Amino acid sequence: MAICDNIRTRREALGMTREELAEKTHIYHSLNYLKIERNEQKNPTIQSIIAISTALNCSVDELIYNKKSTDTNYLIKVINNLPLEDQEVIKKISKGMSLINQAEEMLKKNQ
């Protein structure tokens, strides 16, 4: 399965519309997201893939290869056994780290 098929399958399984996923990914140009799902954008950025996988509550491995890695399975089990409040904190930390990485990449490009 191509990444576009994995995105569509995962999105539909969660009962999300394309528009809802575009909003959740914070990919402001929803056309970029739609191009990825329609397989019109052959090389999506890693930032887009991370944003989509985060919005779909799956790993990048799952999104690209349609399978979970052993490490991912372990982490999911550990996180799922935490109280909901702690799970939310981990989500916020992950999102923050992702944003920091994106900002650092943008700074590198501009130097």
Side-chain angles (χ1 to χ4, degrees), residues 4 7-8 11 18 21 33-39:
C4 61
I7 292 170
R8 186 179 313 106
R11 177 183 57 74
R18 286 184 175 129
L21 182 55
Y33 158 69
L34 293 174
K35 284 181 181 179
I36 295 168
E37 186 173 301
R38 292 179 184 155
N39 205 24

Side-chain angles (χ1 to χ4, degrees), residues 34-78:
L34 293 174
K35 284 181 181 179
I36 295 168
E37 186 173 301
R38 292 179 184 155
N39 205 24
E40 295 169 3
Q41 185 177 349
K42 299 295 181 191
N43 297 308
T45 65
I46 189 65
Q47 291 88 353
S48 295
I49 293 170
I50 290 170
I52 293 168
S53 69
T54 301
L56 293 174
N57 298 318
C58 67
S59 70
V60 171
D61 285 348
E62 247 180 306
L63 198 60
I64 295 173
Y65 304 111
N66 199 27
K67 63 181 180 181
K68 293 182 183 179
S69 69
T70 304
D71 291 341
T72 302
N73 286 332
Y74 172 75
L75 288 173
I76 289 170
K77 287 178 186 175
V78 169

Side-chain angles (χ1 to χ4, degrees), residues 14 18-21 36 71 81 91:
L14 293 171
R18 286 184 175 129
E19 293 76 20
E20 289 170 332
L21 182 55
I36 295 168
D71 291 341
N81 287 326
K91 286 180 189 176

